[in-house]
């Protein structure tokens, strides 16, 4: 290291040794402090280093792939065509993920819950970024093959293999994303069954509340009944006239989607939970 830092010149041996000890020792000390003070342990450090090297390999490989190629010469024409559908595709994907969270696990219609429009973009950014990262990784492999002068049929690579690999990556990311959505919804209803405030999920911030009729002497239409007034229920900010709550009572069955209760918002009042039961 010292010989390389001193520009391969025939410097004195002690000078080369000092430069090498300074650089190697500095990197060693920083790595040691990073390892000692990290709460995640050695495995997390190696995983972080592997991710950093993978990002570096992908960036350099993409540079080799795009340099002096048809894509680099026509990038200003291709980029607007690729980015134009995103403002329309991202909210659709976000609405789909919110629907999977609410309807598939909790049985609450997505249209009955108010969600700010920007959360539909944010929830869809993670799977979109993963697909983009995997696509760029495939491009980097082509770039490294091009850099080392390995023979690759560009026609077969661009027209057959590359779209197939991107399609498989998209299906894998979609499956992983839906699994994460289901796990988030399950953690929500498990927290509600324990009487705890559930975690939010990209704008879906449910709260434990108590339900009381506005007019105690007037029957409240509930589907399915009865009206859960003795225990806390999960409620989301409503959209429209109907109010949907999720009742954690085990009497409603083992399927969590059957615990959704529908009622009219003007017939009841919602109060914050102060304990494990509602007065």
């Amino acid at each position: 290291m010292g010989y390389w830092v001193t520009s391969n010149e025939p410097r004195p041996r002690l000078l080369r040794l000092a430069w090498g000890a300074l650089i190697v020792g500095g990197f060693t000390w920083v790595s040691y402090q990073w390892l000692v003070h990290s709460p995640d342990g050695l495995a997390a450090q190696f995983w972080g280093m592997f991710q950093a090297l993978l990002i570096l390999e992908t960036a350099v490989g993409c540079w080799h792939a795009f340099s002096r190629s048809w894509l680099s010469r026509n990038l200003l024409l291709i980029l607007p065509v690729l980015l134009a559908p995103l403002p329309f595709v991202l909210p659709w994907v976000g609405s789909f993920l919110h629907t999977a969270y609410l309807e598939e696990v909790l049985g609450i219609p997505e249209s009955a819950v108010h969600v700010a429009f920007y959360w539909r973009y944010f929830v869809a950014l993670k799977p979109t970024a993963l697909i983009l990262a995997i696509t760029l990784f495939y491009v980097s492999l082509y770039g490294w093959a091009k850099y080392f002068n390995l023979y690759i049929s560009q026609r077969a690579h661009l027209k057959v293999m590359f779209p197939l690999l991107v399609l498989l990556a998209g299906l894998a990311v979609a499956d992983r994303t839906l699994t994460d959505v289901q796990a988030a919804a399950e953690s929500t209803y498990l927290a509600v069954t324990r009487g705890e405030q559930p975690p939010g999920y990209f704008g879906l911030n449910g709260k434990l509340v108590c339900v009381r009729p506005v007019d105690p002497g007037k029957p409240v239409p509930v589907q399915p009944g009865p009206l859960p007034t003795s225990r806390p229920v999960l409620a989301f900010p409503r959209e429209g006239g109907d109010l949907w709550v999720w009742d954690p009572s085990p009497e409603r069955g083992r399927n969590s989607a059957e615990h959704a209760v529908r009622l009219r918002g003007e017939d009841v009042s919602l109060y914050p939970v102060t304990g494990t039961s509602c007065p």
Side-chain angles (χ1 to χ4, degrees):
M1 180 62 70
Y3 189 71
W4 175 74
V5 170
T6 54
S7 301
N8 297 327
E9 294 291 336
R11 306 292 184 181
R13 184 181 299 273
L14 290 179
L15 180 62
R16 296 200 305 265
L17 180 61
W19 274 108
L22 179 64
I23 293 185
V24 176
F27 277 111
T28 304
W29 182 82
V30 171
S31 302
Y32 174 75
Q33 293 297 325
W34 185 25
L35 175 62
V36 169
H37 296 286
S38 175
D40 297 327
L42 183 61
Q45 303 302 317
F46 281 114
W47 175 241
M49 294 174 61
F50 173 76
Q51 288 180 323
L53 292 176
L54 188 62
I55 292 174
L56 180 62
E57 180 271 335
T58 302
V60 177
C62 288
W63 172 260
H64 292 314
F66 283 105
S67 62
R68 296 187 302 274
S69 64
W70 179 85
L71 288 175
S72 62
R73 294 190 297 268
N74 298 274
L75 186 61
L76 295 179
L77 297 176
I78 297 175
L79 198 59
V81 176
L82 296 177
L83 296 180
L86 289 182
F88 305 97
V89 174
L90 287 180
W92 180 84
V93 174
S95 178
F96 176 79
L97 296 178
H98 283 156
T99 301
Y101 178 93
L102 289 169
E103 295 191 19
E104 293 298 324
V105 180
L106 301 178
I108 300 176
E110 188 267 344
S111 59
V113 177
H114 173 73
V115 183
F117 74 95
Y118 51 84
W119 284 114
R120 303 194 187 279
Y121 289 87
F122 289 155
V123 71
L125 284 180
K126 182 179 179 180
T128 304
L130 283 175
I131 294 176
L132 178 61
I134 296 175
T135 302
L136 292 178
F137 175 73
Y138 292 152
V139 173
S140 71
L141 295 180
Y142 171 75
W144 283 110
K146 176 183 174 183
Y147 176 75
F148 288 109
N149 296 321
L150 298 178
Y151 174 76
I152 294 180
S153 176
Q154 296 188 9
R155 183 182 302 273
H157 183 267
L158 295 178
K159 291 187 177 181
V160 180
M161 292 302 300
F162 185 74
L164 180 60
L165 291 175
V166 173
L167 177 61
L168 293 176
L171 293 176
V173 170
D175 179 72
R176 178 63 183 178
T177 302
L178 291 177
T179 302
D180 292 341
V181 170
Q182 184 177 5
E186 290 177 354
S187 66
T188 295
Y189 78 72
L190 288 176
V192 174
T193 55
R194 294 192 298 264
E196 304 172 355
Q197 291 293 344
Y201 178 78
F202 292 99
L204 297 176
N205 299 314
K207 300 294 183 182
L208 281 177
V209 296
C210 292
V211 179
R212 298 177 186 173
V214 174
D215 186 0
K218 181 181 177 181
V220 178
V222 181
Q223 183 182 2
L227 181 66
T229 57
S230 61
R231 54 190 174 272
V233 295
L234 176 66
F236 294 92
R238 65 188 179 99
E239 183 80 19
D242 290 337
L243 173 65
W244 287 80
V245 297
W246 193 84
D247 185 7
S249 174
E251 298 176 357
R252 294 190 179 272
R254 301 181 60 180
N255 187 2
S256 61
E258 297 177 354
H259 290 224
V261 178
R262 176 185 179 184
L263 47 118
R264 293 187 301 183
E266 63 271 14
D267 292 337
V268 296
S269 298
L270 303 181
Y271 295 87
V273 177
T274 58
T276 58
S277 63
C278 295

